[in-house]
Amino acid sequence: MKSIQIGANAFSWDEAGQGDVLLLLSGWCQDHRLFKTLAPELAKTHRVIRLDWRGHGEHREHDGDFVTADQASDVIAFLDRLEIGRVVPVSTSHGGWANIETTDRLGPSRIPRSVVIDWIQTTPNEDFFRAIEELQERSAWEKGRDDLFAYWIGDTENRDIVDHVSKEMAGYSFEMWARSGREIAKAYRKWGNPMQRMAAMKEYRPITHIYSQPFEPEYTQAQLDFAAQNAWYRPNKLPGRTHFPTLEQPKAVADAIRAFLKDA
């Protein structure tokens, strides 16, 4: 991985391929390793950049607390430093909040489309908030984290997914997990859900949600209903069984992204 200094913080990043730029952004307590099989697929047709969030990846030290808006500012500063004009962000899980904040700030001329992957699109119930509150309690955070892990991976035997959860995500500190819980809860309390956040953008542009979980038909139907009222929103359900389609079925995700980018 390369390093770049933005303000007081160092960030790890890399790139591969040529063509239009795709910027891969993980969720909280994840990093570039989430895209180790997806990035080579996408690099067959695009210039693919993997950027780790502040305090993530190979640079875990950072200058104090930060929020979702800071993550968006970091992305914009990174794009400016590399003199990248047009880009399509591809985010996973709750990295979507910073993705859409970035997309909203930069406008369609610079971000003509955006991709979000496996990000809970509907308004969660109070059980969800209680679960992420556990992440913010020093005496309970590991149990809360492990409960999430168990749901996310299901019964998969995919070694990439098991290692991503048990070794890579588990390597992040209580402080980062607590920050993730706080920021995710704040976002849902403020916006209700990601679809409502996207609907509040200053200028609309095509956005696709590629996902496997949750499996309930009501979840898919809620997105179809939203899409019927908002033609720019395009849900895409994949047949995977885990929260990690980038590792479970990278070619299917890459094909879905390429089809979305070609679709006028």
Side-chain angles (χ1 to χ4, degrees), residues 43-234:
K44 295 174 182 177
T45 53
H46 290 78
R47 179 185 176 191
V48 179
I49 297 174
R50 299 187 298 176
L51 173 65
D52 289 326
W53 299 115
R54 184 186 304 193
H56 289 65
E58 296 181 353
H59 298 286
R60 301 294 173 94
E61 294 183 1
H62 53 92
D63 65 335
D65 196 16
F66 61 93
V67 298
T68 301
D70 296 320
Q71 293 178 304
S73 296
D74 290 340
V75 170
I76 294 169
F78 174 80
L79 295 172
D80 290 346
R81 285 280 296 278
L82 268 63
E83 298 182 345
I84 294 172
R86 289 168 65 87
V87 61
V88 173
V90 178
S91 62
T92 62
S93 190
H94 298 291
W97 295 108
N99 175 355
I100 297 304
E101 175 68 20
T102 303
T103 298
D104 200 13
R105 288 194 209 174
L106 291 184
S109 62
R110 198 160 179 194
I111 298 183
R113 291 175 178 239
S114 190
V115 179
V116 296
I117 299 175
D118 232 282
W119 180 23
I120 300 173
Q121 294 290 289
T122 54
T123 303
N125 59 31
E126 288 304 312
D127 288 341
F128 172 88
F129 288 103
R130 281 190 288 271
I132 58 176
E133 282 171 5
E134 272 194 315
L135 298 176
Q136 302 171 66
E137 299 173 8
R138 192 172 289 275
S139 62
W141 76 280
E142 289 178 299
K143 176 186 177 300
R145 180 200 64 186
D146 291 347
D147 287 345
L148 290 173
F149 285 173
Y151 174 74
W152 288 341
I153 68 174
D155 58 0
T156 186
E157 296 181 359
N158 184 308
R159 195 73 243 170
D160 286 335
I161 294 173
V162 173
D163 287 347
H164 175 66
V165 169
S166 64
K167 297 180 181 179
E168 296 169 13
M169 295 188 74
Y172 283 89
S173 67
F174 162 70
E175 286 76 15
M176 194 63 78
W177 278 99
R179 183 176 294 112
S180 76
R182 182 195 71 196
E183 290 302 301
I184 293 166
K186 279 170 51 180
Y188 280 103
R189 294 295 191 193
K190 178 178 180 178
W191 297 104
N193 61 56
M195 293 187 292
Q196 293 179 27
R197 169 63 186 100
M198 289 182 257
M201 289 193 303
K202 295 185 290 292
E203 297 177 273
Y204 298 132
R205 72 223 65 177
I207 298 175
T208 188
H209 177 225
I210 300 168
Y211 69 102
S212 297
Q213 288 186 351
F215 308 122
E216 291 78 9
E218 295 82 5
Y219 180 70
T220 294
Q221 189 59 52
Q223 294 180 73
L224 294 174
D225 291 344
F226 182 78
Q229 299 297 318
N230 300 275
W232 47 267
Y233 180 75
R234 303 173 190 181

